[in-house]
Amino acid sequence: MEETEQPAGGLHFIGKKDELIEAKRSFRTVDGRDILIIHHQGVFYAMDCYCYHAGGTLENGDIEEINGKLCIICPKHKYKISLCEGEGLYRGRNPQEEPPVYRWYSKGVKQRTHTVTETNGEIFVKMSSQPGWIDSDYYQGEKDNSKKNEKEIKSFLYN
Protein backbone atom coordinates (compact mmCIF):
# COMPACT_ATOMS: atom_id res chain seq x y z
CA MET A 1 0.00 0.00 0.00
CA GLU A 2 1.22 3.49 -0.75
CA GLU A 3 1.78 6.07 1.94
CA THR A 4 -1.48 6.91 3.61
CA GLU A 5 -3.18 10.26 3.46
CA GLN A 6 -3.06 12.50 6.48
CA PRO A 7 -6.20 14.29 7.59
CA ALA A 8 -6.26 16.99 10.26
CA GLY A 9 -5.05 16.05 13.73
CA GLY A 10 -2.10 13.91 12.63
CA LEU A 11 -4.29 10.87 11.96
CA HIS A 12 -3.40 8.61 9.03
CA PHE A 13 -6.06 6.45 7.38
CA ILE A 14 -4.93 2.81 7.53
CA GLY A 15 -7.94 0.92 6.20
CA LYS A 16 -11.46 -0.28 6.76
CA LYS A 17 -12.04 -1.92 10.15
CA ASP A 18 -13.59 -5.11 8.72
CA GLU A 19 -10.71 -5.64 6.27
CA LEU A 20 -8.07 -5.13 8.98
CA ILE A 21 -9.87 -7.50 11.35
CA GLU A 22 -9.96 -10.16 8.63
CA ALA A 23 -6.27 -9.66 7.79
CA LYS A 24 -5.26 -9.78 11.51
CA ARG A 25 -1.88 -8.21 10.61
CA SER A 26 -1.20 -5.49 8.07
CA PHE A 27 1.93 -3.68 6.93
CA ARG A 28 1.75 0.04 6.13
CA THR A 29 4.21 2.83 5.43
CA VAL A 30 3.21 6.05 7.16
CA ASP A 31 5.34 9.21 7.02
CA GLY A 32 8.15 7.07 5.59
CA ARG A 33 8.00 4.70 8.57
CA ASP A 34 7.11 1.01 8.24
CA ILE A 35 4.53 -0.01 10.81
CA LEU A 36 2.66 -3.18 11.67
CA ILE A 37 -1.06 -3.03 12.46
CA ILE A 38 -2.23 -5.97 14.60
CA HIS A 39 -5.79 -6.95 15.46
CA HIS A 40 -5.76 -9.32 18.43
CA GLN A 41 -8.61 -10.25 20.82
CA GLY A 42 -10.77 -7.36 19.62
CA VAL A 43 -8.08 -4.67 19.97
CA PHE A 44 -5.93 -2.89 17.36
CA TYR A 45 -2.24 -2.23 18.01
CA ALA A 46 0.36 -0.42 15.91
CA MET A 47 4.15 -0.55 16.26
CA ASP A 48 7.29 -0.26 14.20
CA CYS A 49 7.40 -3.29 11.92
CA TYR A 50 11.07 -4.23 12.51
CA CYS A 51 12.29 -5.65 15.81
CA TYR A 52 14.51 -3.32 17.81
CA HIS A 53 17.13 -6.04 18.31
CA ALA A 54 18.22 -7.02 14.80
CA GLY A 55 15.61 -5.63 12.41
CA GLY A 56 13.65 -8.84 11.88
CA THR A 57 10.08 -8.32 10.73
CA LEU A 58 7.51 -8.82 13.46
CA GLU A 59 4.66 -9.53 11.05
CA ASN A 60 4.68 -13.31 11.61
CA GLY A 61 5.54 -13.24 15.32
CA ASP A 62 3.44 -15.23 17.78
CA ILE A 63 1.45 -13.31 20.38
CA GLU A 64 1.55 -14.55 23.97
CA GLU A 65 0.66 -13.22 27.38
CA ILE A 66 3.87 -12.72 29.37
CA ASN A 67 3.82 -11.47 32.93
CA GLY A 68 0.29 -10.13 32.41
CA LYS A 69 1.13 -8.30 29.16
CA LEU A 70 0.27 -9.23 25.58
CA CYS A 71 3.56 -9.53 23.71
CA ILE A 72 4.66 -10.23 20.17
CA ILE A 73 7.58 -12.65 19.88
CA CYS A 74 10.10 -11.77 17.19
CA PRO A 75 10.47 -14.82 14.92
CA LYS A 76 14.16 -14.11 14.31
CA HIS A 77 15.63 -14.22 17.85
CA LYS A 78 12.52 -14.67 20.08
CA TYR A 79 12.67 -11.19 21.65
CA LYS A 80 9.47 -10.40 23.54
CA ILE A 81 7.84 -6.98 23.01
CA SER A 82 4.67 -5.75 24.70
CA LEU A 83 2.01 -4.70 22.21
CA CYS A 84 0.81 -1.69 24.21
CA GLU A 85 4.01 -0.01 25.31
CA GLY A 86 6.76 -1.54 23.14
CA GLU A 87 8.50 -2.70 26.30
CA GLY A 88 11.20 -5.36 25.90
CA LEU A 89 10.81 -8.25 28.35
CA TYR A 90 13.29 -10.95 29.30
CA ARG A 91 13.43 -13.82 31.73
CA GLY A 92 16.31 -13.95 34.19
CA ARG A 93 17.23 -14.61 37.76
CA ASN A 94 19.10 -12.77 40.45
CA PRO A 95 22.04 -14.93 41.57
CA GLN A 96 22.06 -13.15 44.94
CA GLU A 97 18.64 -14.60 45.79
CA GLU A 98 18.51 -17.88 47.68
CA PRO A 99 17.43 -19.84 45.78
CA PRO A 100 17.67 -17.84 42.52
CA VAL A 101 14.24 -17.84 40.85
CA TYR A 102 13.52 -16.99 37.21
CA ARG A 103 11.36 -13.87 36.79
CA TRP A 104 10.30 -11.55 34.00
CA TYR A 105 12.19 -8.25 33.84
CA SER A 106 11.74 -5.13 31.74
CA LYS A 107 14.39 -3.65 29.46
CA GLY A 108 12.26 -0.51 29.16
CA VAL A 109 10.62 0.75 25.99
CA LYS A 110 12.50 -0.62 22.99
CA GLN A 111 9.88 -0.65 20.21
CA ARG A 112 8.06 2.51 19.12
CA THR A 113 4.28 2.07 19.33
CA HIS A 114 1.62 4.23 17.71
CA THR A 115 -1.97 5.12 18.64
CA VAL A 116 -4.84 3.44 16.78
CA THR A 117 -8.33 4.95 16.63
CA GLU A 118 -11.55 4.01 14.87
CA THR A 119 -14.12 6.37 13.37
CA ASN A 120 -17.19 5.11 11.51
CA GLY A 121 -15.61 1.79 10.57
CA GLU A 122 -12.32 3.33 9.45
CA ILE A 123 -9.01 2.80 11.25
CA PHE A 124 -6.51 5.61 11.75
CA VAL A 125 -3.04 5.73 13.26
CA LYS A 126 -1.41 8.66 15.00
CA MET A 127 2.34 8.29 14.86
CA SER A 128 4.27 8.26 18.13
CA SER A 129 5.41 11.63 19.36
CA GLN A 130 7.48 10.19 22.20
CA PRO A 131 10.69 12.24 22.22
CA GLY A 132 14.16 10.79 22.26
CA TRP A 133 15.72 7.69 20.80
CA ILE A 134 13.91 4.35 20.94
CA ASP A 135 15.89 1.33 19.73
CA SER A 136 13.46 0.45 16.92
CA ASP A 137 14.19 3.89 15.38
CA TYR A 138 17.47 2.46 14.11
CA TYR A 139 15.70 0.17 11.63
CA GLN A 140 13.46 2.99 10.39
CA GLY A 141 16.36 5.00 8.97
CA GLU A 142 16.46 7.63 11.70
CA LYS A 143 19.38 10.00 11.28
CA ASP A 144 20.98 9.84 14.74
CA ASN A 145 24.40 8.55 13.63
CA SER A 146 25.87 8.35 17.13
CA LYS A 147 23.14 5.86 18.10
CA LYS A 148 23.57 3.95 14.82
CA ASN A 149 27.30 3.60 15.40
CA GLU A 150 26.65 2.46 18.97
CA LYS A 151 24.14 -0.13 17.71
CA GLU A 152 26.57 -1.37 15.02
CA ILE A 153 29.36 -1.78 17.56
CA LYS A 154 27.09 -3.66 19.99
CA SER A 155 25.85 -5.86 17.16
CA PHE A 156 29.40 -6.70 16.11
CA LEU A 157 30.57 -7.41 19.67
CA TYR A 158 27.62 -9.43 20.92
CA ASN A 159 26.37 -11.37 17.88
Side-chain angles (χ1 to χ4, degrees), residues 15-77:
K16 298 286 185 184
K17 179 180 179 179
D18 294 341
E19 293 169 2
L20 293 170
I21 288 172
E22 187 177 329
K24 292 186 173 101
R25 310 225 181 146
S26 302
F27 176 91
R28 299 288 190 272
T29 300
V30 180
D31 281 348
R33 194 171 195 98
D34 295 336
I35 62 170
L36 178 62
I37 310 301
I38 299 168
H39 183 263
H40 185 76
Q41 295 179 346
V43 179
F44 283 100
Y45 303 91
M47 63 176 35
D48 285 354
C49 188
Y50 309 113
C51 179
Y52 72 89
H53 169 248
T57 184
L58 296 172
E59 197 165 0
N60 295 318
D62 291 334
I63 295 177
E64 297 178 15
E65 186 175 323
I66 297 174
N67 205 31
K69 298 178 182 192
L70 280 176
C71 295
I72 190 161
I73 313 300
C74 179
K76 191 168 185 178
H77 295 113

Side-chain angles (χ1 to χ4, degrees), residues 55-120:
T57 184
L58 296 172
E59 197 165 0
N60 295 318
D62 291 334
I63 295 177
E64 297 178 15
E65 186 175 323
I66 297 174
N67 205 31
K69 298 178 182 192
L70 280 176
C71 295
I72 190 161
I73 313 300
C74 179
K76 191 168 185 178
H77 295 113
K78 307 302 180 209
Y79 276 59
K80 288 121 180 92
I81 305 163
S82 71
L83 291 175
C84 285
E85 298 90 18
E87 178 183 23
L89 299 175
Y90 71 98
R91 196 162 183 235
R93 59 186 180 167
N94 180 348
Q96 296 177 349
E97 287 182 343
E98 283 299 328
V101 176
Y102 279 98
R103 291 187 170 80
W104 287 102
Y105 294 94
S106 173
K107 297 178 184 180
V109 173
K110 297 293 188 177
Q111 195 78 18
R112 195 172 288 277
T113 59
H114 311 284
T115 305
V116 180
T117 59
E118 181 215 339
T119 304
N120 299 323

Side-chain angles (χ1 to χ4, degrees), residues 53-54 77 79 150-159:
H53 169 248
H77 295 113
Y79 276 59
E150 178 184 324
K151 187 85 172 178
E152 288 169 0
I153 290 167
K154 285 181 181 176
S155 178
F156 175 77
L157 292 175
Y158 302 115
N159 287 333

Side-chain angles (χ1 to χ4, degrees), residues 100-148:
V101 176
Y102 279 98
R103 291 187 170 80
W104 287 102
Y105 294 94
S106 173
K107 297 178 184 180
V109 173
K110 297 293 188 177
Q111 195 78 18
R112 195 172 288 277
T113 59
H114 311 284
T115 305
V116 180
T117 59
E118 181 215 339
T119 304
N120 299 323
E122 296 182 330
I123 301 299
F124 297 87
V125 167
K126 182 174 183 178
M127 301 304 285
S128 168
S129 59
Q130 185 173 349
W133 179 264
I134 295 177
D135 287 12
S136 69
D137 292 343
Y138 176 81
Y139 295 101
Q140 294 290 342
E142 297 293 324
K143 303 294 186 243
D144 186 346
N145 289 328
S146 64
K147 291 290 183 181
K148 284 185 180 183

